[in-house]
PDB file of all heavy atoms in Angstrom:
ATOM      1  N   VAL A  30     -24.742  -3.324 -21.036  1.00  0.00           N
ATOM      2  CA  VAL A  30     -23.638  -4.106 -21.520  1.00  0.00           C
ATOM      3  C   VAL A  30     -24.141  -5.468 -22.188  1.00  0.00           C
ATOM      4  O   VAL A  30     -23.756  -5.791 -23.396  1.00  0.00           O
ATOM      5  CB  VAL A  30     -22.640  -4.709 -20.393  1.00  0.00           C
ATOM      6  CG1 VAL A  30     -21.639  -5.686 -20.939  1.00  0.00           C
ATOM      7  CG2 VAL A  30     -21.946  -3.486 -19.805  1.00  0.00           C
ATOM      8  N   LEU A  31     -25.175  -6.028 -21.633  1.00  0.00           N
ATOM      9  CA  LEU A  31     -25.803  -7.269 -22.224  1.00  0.00           C
ATOM     10  C   LEU A  31     -26.402  -6.869 -23.563  1.00  0.00           C
ATOM     11  O   LEU A  31     -26.353  -7.658 -24.565  1.00  0.00           O
ATOM     12  CB  LEU A  31     -26.798  -7.959 -21.272  1.00  0.00           C
ATOM     13  CG  LEU A  31     -26.225  -8.361 -19.991  1.00  0.00           C
ATOM     14  CD1 LEU A  31     -27.243  -9.184 -19.182  1.00  0.00           C
ATOM     15  CD2 LEU A  31     -24.966  -9.344 -20.178  1.00  0.00           C
ATOM     16  N   GLU A  32     -27.088  -5.688 -23.639  1.00  0.00           N
ATOM     17  CA  GLU A  32     -27.597  -5.321 -24.930  1.00  0.00           C
ATOM     18  C   GLU A  32     -26.593  -5.152 -25.952  1.00  0.00           C
ATOM     19  O   GLU A  32     -26.758  -5.568 -27.142  1.00  0.00           O
ATOM     20  CB  GLU A  32     -28.292  -3.850 -24.784  1.00  0.00           C
ATOM     21  CG  GLU A  32     -29.840  -4.103 -24.245  1.00  0.00           C
ATOM     22  CD  GLU A  32     -30.335  -2.714 -23.817  1.00  0.00           C
ATOM     23  OE1 GLU A  32     -29.959  -1.604 -24.370  1.00  0.00           O
ATOM     24  OE2 GLU A  32     -31.138  -2.629 -22.931  1.00  0.00           O
ATOM     25  N   LYS A  33     -25.466  -4.570 -25.631  1.00  0.00           N
ATOM     26  CA  LYS A  33     -24.362  -4.260 -26.561  1.00  0.00           C
ATOM     27  C   LYS A  33     -23.809  -5.594 -27.079  1.00  0.00           C
ATOM     28  O   LYS A  33     -23.781  -5.956 -28.264  1.00  0.00           O
ATOM     29  CB  LYS A  33     -23.324  -3.435 -25.996  1.00  0.00           C
ATOM     30  CG  LYS A  33     -23.760  -1.996 -25.917  1.00  0.00           C
ATOM     31  CD  LYS A  33     -22.508  -1.287 -25.323  1.00  0.00           C
ATOM     32  CE  LYS A  33     -23.047   0.133 -24.948  1.00  0.00           C
ATOM     33  NZ  LYS A  33     -22.294   0.810 -23.782  1.00  0.00           N
ATOM     34  N   LEU A  34     -23.532  -6.488 -26.079  1.00  0.00           N
ATOM     35  CA  LEU A  34     -23.030  -7.791 -26.451  1.00  0.00           C
ATOM     36  C   LEU A  34     -23.879  -8.554 -27.426  1.00  0.00           C
ATOM     37  O   LEU A  34     -23.401  -9.270 -28.224  1.00  0.00           O
ATOM     38  CB  LEU A  34     -22.595  -8.602 -25.135  1.00  0.00           C
ATOM     39  CG  LEU A  34     -21.519  -8.005 -24.301  1.00  0.00           C
ATOM     40  CD1 LEU A  34     -21.443  -8.833 -22.991  1.00  0.00           C
ATOM     41  CD2 LEU A  34     -20.154  -7.873 -25.017  1.00  0.00           C
ATOM     42  N   THR A  35     -25.205  -8.528 -27.003  1.00  0.00           N
ATOM     43  CA  THR A  35     -26.075  -9.235 -27.913  1.00  0.00           C
ATOM     44  C   THR A  35     -26.203  -8.788 -29.258  1.00  0.00           C
ATOM     45  O   THR A  35     -26.181  -9.370 -30.264  1.00  0.00           O
ATOM     46  CB  THR A  35     -27.633  -9.076 -27.131  1.00  0.00           C
ATOM     47  OG1 THR A  35     -27.530  -9.475 -26.025  1.00  0.00           O
ATOM     48  CG2 THR A  35     -28.574  -9.862 -28.001  1.00  0.00           C
ATOM     49  N   CYS A  36     -26.188  -7.345 -29.374  1.00  0.00           N
ATOM     50  CA  CYS A  36     -26.183  -6.745 -30.750  1.00  0.00           C
ATOM     51  C   CYS A  36     -24.928  -7.009 -31.560  1.00  0.00           C
ATOM     52  O   CYS A  36     -24.946  -7.213 -32.755  1.00  0.00           O
ATOM     53  CB  CYS A  36     -26.335  -5.194 -30.463  1.00  0.00           C
ATOM     54  SG  CYS A  36     -26.247  -4.209 -31.756  1.00  0.00           S
ATOM     55  N   TRP A  37     -23.755  -7.166 -30.786  1.00  0.00           N
ATOM     56  CA  TRP A  37     -22.541  -7.621 -31.496  1.00  0.00           C
ATOM     57  C   TRP A  37     -22.425  -9.095 -31.752  1.00  0.00           C
ATOM     58  O   TRP A  37     -21.421  -9.616 -32.248  1.00  0.00           O
ATOM     59  CB  TRP A  37     -21.280  -7.081 -30.667  1.00  0.00           C
ATOM     60  CG  TRP A  37     -21.170  -5.686 -30.532  1.00  0.00           C
ATOM     61  CD1 TRP A  37     -21.766  -4.641 -31.260  1.00  0.00           C
ATOM     62  CD2 TRP A  37     -20.640  -4.987 -29.334  1.00  0.00           C
ATOM     63  NE1 TRP A  37     -21.650  -3.397 -30.592  1.00  0.00           N
ATOM     64  CE2 TRP A  37     -20.841  -3.668 -29.473  1.00  0.00           C
ATOM     65  CE3 TRP A  37     -19.809  -5.397 -28.269  1.00  0.00           C
ATOM     66  CZ2 TRP A  37     -20.336  -2.581 -28.595  1.00  0.00           C
ATOM     67  CZ3 TRP A  37     -19.370  -4.482 -27.366  1.00  0.00           C
ATOM     68  CH2 TRP A  37     -19.581  -3.104 -27.502  1.00  0.00           C
ATOM     69  N   GLY A  38     -23.294  -9.907 -31.188  1.00  0.00           N
ATOM     70  CA  GLY A  38     -23.219 -11.298 -31.377  1.00  0.00           C
ATOM     71  C   GLY A  38     -22.097 -11.772 -30.427  1.00  0.00           C
ATOM     72  O   GLY A  38     -21.629 -12.960 -30.650  1.00  0.00           O
ATOM     73  N   SER A  39     -21.780 -11.129 -29.404  1.00  0.00           N
ATOM     74  CA  SER A  39     -20.820 -11.583 -28.452  1.00  0.00           C
ATOM     75  C   SER A  39     -21.186 -12.194 -27.221  1.00  0.00           C
ATOM     76  O   SER A  39     -20.382 -12.438 -26.218  1.00  0.00           O
ATOM     77  CB  SER A  39     -19.785 -10.384 -28.124  1.00  0.00           C
ATOM     78  OG  SER A  39     -19.348  -9.809 -29.312  1.00  0.00           O
ATOM     79  N   LEU A  40     -22.521 -12.392 -27.025  1.00  0.00           N
ATOM     80  CA  LEU A  40     -23.082 -12.994 -25.813  1.00  0.00           C
ATOM     81  C   LEU A  40     -23.517 -14.416 -26.071  1.00  0.00           C
ATOM     82  O   LEU A  40     -24.291 -14.664 -27.040  1.00  0.00           O
ATOM     83  CB  LEU A  40     -24.138 -12.120 -25.239  1.00  0.00           C
ATOM     84  CG  LEU A  40     -24.742 -12.768 -23.897  1.00  0.00           C
ATOM     85  CD1 LEU A  40     -23.664 -12.523 -22.829  1.00  0.00           C
ATOM     86  CD2 LEU A  40     -26.055 -11.952 -23.552  1.00  0.00           C
ATOM     87  N   THR A  41     -23.018 -15.407 -25.289  1.00  0.00           N
ATOM     88  CA  THR A  41     -23.401 -16.773 -25.431  1.00  0.00           C
ATOM     89  C   THR A  41     -24.341 -17.084 -24.232  1.00  0.00           C
ATOM     90  O   THR A  41     -24.100 -16.791 -23.060  1.00  0.00           O
ATOM     91  CB  THR A  41     -22.246 -17.666 -25.312  1.00  0.00           C
ATOM     92  OG1 THR A  41     -21.325 -17.274 -26.313  1.00  0.00           O
ATOM     93  CG2 THR A  41     -22.652 -19.128 -25.612  1.00  0.00           C
ATOM     94  N   GLU A  42     -25.527 -17.607 -24.578  1.00  0.00           N
ATOM     95  CA  GLU A  42     -26.419 -18.067 -23.509  1.00  0.00           C
ATOM     96  C   GLU A  42     -26.213 -19.540 -23.357  1.00  0.00           C
ATOM     97  O   GLU A  42     -26.358 -20.382 -24.354  1.00  0.00           O
ATOM     98  CB  GLU A  42     -27.889 -17.752 -23.926  1.00  0.00           C
ATOM     99  CG  GLU A  42     -28.065 -16.275 -24.170  1.00  0.00           C
ATOM    100  CD  GLU A  42     -29.413 -15.718 -23.567  1.00  0.00           C
ATOM    101  OE1 GLU A  42     -30.234 -16.543 -23.073  1.00  0.00           O
ATOM    102  OE2 GLU A  42     -29.757 -14.534 -23.871  1.00  0.00           O
ATOM    103  N   CYS A  43     -26.302 -19.995 -22.071  1.00  0.00           N
ATOM    104  CA  CYS A  43     -26.093 -21.417 -21.769  1.00  0.00           C
ATOM    105  C   CYS A  43     -27.481 -21.859 -21.143  1.00  0.00           C
ATOM    106  O   CYS A  43     -27.722 -21.360 -19.978  1.00  0.00           O
ATOM    107  CB  CYS A  43     -24.890 -21.615 -20.801  1.00  0.00           C
ATOM    108  SG  CYS A  43     -24.765 -23.194 -20.424  1.00  0.00           S
ATOM    109  N   THR A  44     -28.135 -22.700 -21.713  1.00  0.00           N
ATOM    110  CA  THR A  44     -29.466 -23.173 -21.195  1.00  0.00           C
ATOM    111  C   THR A  44     -29.423 -24.420 -20.523  1.00  0.00           C
ATOM    112  O   THR A  44     -30.290 -25.019 -19.896  1.00  0.00           O
ATOM    113  CB  THR A  44     -30.536 -23.161 -22.308  1.00  0.00           C
ATOM    114  OG1 THR A  44     -30.108 -23.895 -23.411  1.00  0.00           O
ATOM    115  CG2 THR A  44     -30.916 -21.685 -22.657  1.00  0.00           C
ATOM    116  N   ALA A  45     -28.182 -25.246 -20.722  1.00  0.00           N
ATOM    117  CA  ALA A  45     -28.082 -26.470 -20.078  1.00  0.00           C
ATOM    118  C   ALA A  45     -27.900 -26.210 -18.602  1.00  0.00           C
ATOM    119  O   ALA A  45     -27.435 -25.205 -18.092  1.00  0.00           O
ATOM    120  CB  ALA A  45     -26.729 -27.133 -20.549  1.00  0.00           C
ATOM    121  N   PRO A  46     -28.484 -27.217 -17.720  1.00  0.00           N
ATOM    122  CA  PRO A  46     -28.271 -26.974 -16.307  1.00  0.00           C
ATOM    123  C   PRO A  46     -26.749 -27.024 -15.859  1.00  0.00           C
ATOM    124  O   PRO A  46     -26.043 -27.804 -16.389  1.00  0.00           O
ATOM    125  CB  PRO A  46     -28.951 -28.292 -15.678  1.00  0.00           C
ATOM    126  CG  PRO A  46     -29.237 -29.152 -16.767  1.00  0.00           C
ATOM    127  CD  PRO A  46     -29.006 -28.446 -18.081  1.00  0.00           C
ATOM    128  N   VAL A  47     -26.390 -25.911 -15.084  1.00  0.00           N
ATOM    129  CA  VAL A  47     -25.050 -25.799 -14.631  1.00  0.00           C
ATOM    130  C   VAL A  47     -25.088 -25.542 -13.123  1.00  0.00           C
ATOM    131  O   VAL A  47     -25.847 -24.794 -12.667  1.00  0.00           O
ATOM    132  CB  VAL A  47     -24.451 -24.599 -15.303  1.00  0.00           C
ATOM    133  CG1 VAL A  47     -23.094 -24.425 -14.744  1.00  0.00           C
ATOM    134  CG2 VAL A  47     -24.306 -24.801 -16.854  1.00  0.00           C
ATOM    135  N   ASN A  48     -24.204 -26.320 -12.425  1.00  0.00           N
ATOM    136  CA  ASN A  48     -24.118 -26.121 -11.019  1.00  0.00           C
ATOM    137  C   ASN A  48     -23.199 -25.073 -10.636  1.00  0.00           C
ATOM    138  O   ASN A  48     -22.080 -25.062 -11.240  1.00  0.00           O
ATOM    139  CB  ASN A  48     -23.608 -27.484 -10.405  1.00  0.00           C
ATOM    140  CG  ASN A  48     -23.757 -27.633  -8.951  1.00  0.00           C
ATOM    141  OD1 ASN A  48     -23.581 -26.654  -8.196  1.00  0.00           O
ATOM    142  ND2 ASN A  48     -24.266 -28.872  -8.461  1.00  0.00           N
ATOM    143  N   PRO A  49     -23.577 -24.115  -9.708  1.00  0.00           N
ATOM    144  CA  PRO A  49     -22.725 -23.058  -9.407  1.00  0.00           C
ATOM    145  C   PRO A  49     -21.380 -23.539  -8.636  1.00  0.00           C
ATOM    146  O   PRO A  49     -20.484 -22.901  -8.558  1.00  0.00           O
ATOM    147  CB  PRO A  49     -23.493 -22.148  -8.582  1.00  0.00           C
ATOM    148  CG  PRO A  49     -24.697 -22.864  -8.101  1.00  0.00           C
ATOM    149  CD  PRO A  49     -24.871 -23.932  -9.077  1.00  0.00           C
ATOM    150  N   LYS A  50     -21.482 -24.781  -8.210  1.00  0.00           N
ATOM    151  CA  LYS A  50     -20.308 -25.297  -7.466  1.00  0.00           C
ATOM    152  C   LYS A  50     -19.492 -26.054  -8.514  1.00  0.00           C
ATOM    153  O   LYS A  50     -19.850 -27.170  -9.144  1.00  0.00           O
ATOM    154  CB  LYS A  50     -20.698 -26.353  -6.354  1.00  0.00           C
ATOM    155  CG  LYS A  50     -19.664 -26.820  -5.615  1.00  0.00           C
ATOM    156  CD  LYS A  50     -20.066 -27.710  -4.381  1.00  0.00           C
ATOM    157  CE  LYS A  50     -18.963 -28.277  -3.633  1.00  0.00           C
ATOM    158  NZ  LYS A  50     -19.226 -29.084  -2.475  1.00  0.00           N
TER     159      LYS A  50
END
Side-chain angles (χ1 to χ4, degrees):
V30 174
L31 297 184
E32 271 169 34
K33 285 180 194 149
L34 293 177
T35 306
C36 177
W37 301 334
S39 302
L40 182 68
T41 303
E42 296 215 7
C43 175
T44 51
V47 175
N48 197 316
K50 182 172 180 179

